[in-house]
Amino acid sequence: GQNIDQPTEMTATEGAIVQINCTYQTSGFNGLFWYQQHAGEAPTFLSYNVLDGLEEKGRFSSFLSRSKGYSYLLLKELQMKDSASYLCAVMDSNYQLIWGAGTKLIIKP
Amino acid sequence: DVKVTQSSRYLVKRTGEKVFLECVQDMDHENMFWYRQDPGLGLRLIYFSYDVKMKEKGDIPEGYSVSREKKERFSLILESASTNQTSMYLCASSFLRDYQINIQYFGAGTRLSVL
């Protein structure tokens, strides 16, 4: 079957760096997405990786290793507004998104 | 900015009622999707549509149907609501692009409680 695994919850301190991991097993691979979802709000697109390596976008970076079925989202200089759930999703061979359950990130002052 | 609007943020219905959840997008997207989101589970695809009057079953279509009479509007229908359909429902839309980044844009969600 298809499976996306990510930690349920993480806690970090304001100003610090946090890495949220995602491992996947899917039928085919057409890219990996990270979304941010604040409580009670819509998920919003953060990043997309289809080739191995690191994609940097401001304070957020996303890494992909296709051979290991592994990705991480790196958040630097954490701010209180970064408190949210972070969803990992893989696009399979049918171009459908398979979603992880999300990682709730708690930022403490 | 892309806007995906869901008609209700909160709904409370009784078991056996017919429930309509409406979703409208303003970006001329071909694709539209309905998901449900439950604690501890990833988003699960209920139905999707690539074009007007076209629909495809997702992973959990049982107990649901959909309607897409206009390109911008995609409705989810619970024919006879049951308590196990209590959930957060999310609508999304995207362009039909086979070989480019297929970003899905989401509405704010409808939290449905079936009593």
Side-chain angles (χ1 to χ4, degrees), chain A residues 77-89:
Chain A
E77 302 169 13
L78 285 170
Q79 302 176 9
M80 297 304 292
K81 67 179 182 179
D82 298 330
S83 292
S85 288
Y86 291 86
L87 313 180
C88 173

Side-chain angles (χ1 to χ4, degrees), chain B residues 49-66:
Chain B
S49 169
Y50 289 143
D51 201 353
V52 175
K53 297 192 184 296
M54 178 273 179
K55 59 185 179 184
E56 292 284 345
K57 293 181 180 178
D59 299 319
I60 52 165
E62 297 77 18
Y64 303 94
S65 62
V66 290

Side-chain angles (χ1 to χ4, degrees), chain A residues 35 37 40 42 48 95-96 100, chain B residues 9 37 42 45 50 98 101 104 107:
Chain A
Y35 279 77
Q37 186 178 24
Y48 171 77
Y95 292 94
Q96 295 303 322
Chain B
R9 290 300 302 271
Q37 184 175 35
L45 183 63
Y50 289 143
D98 285 340
I101 302 175
Q104 291 187 15

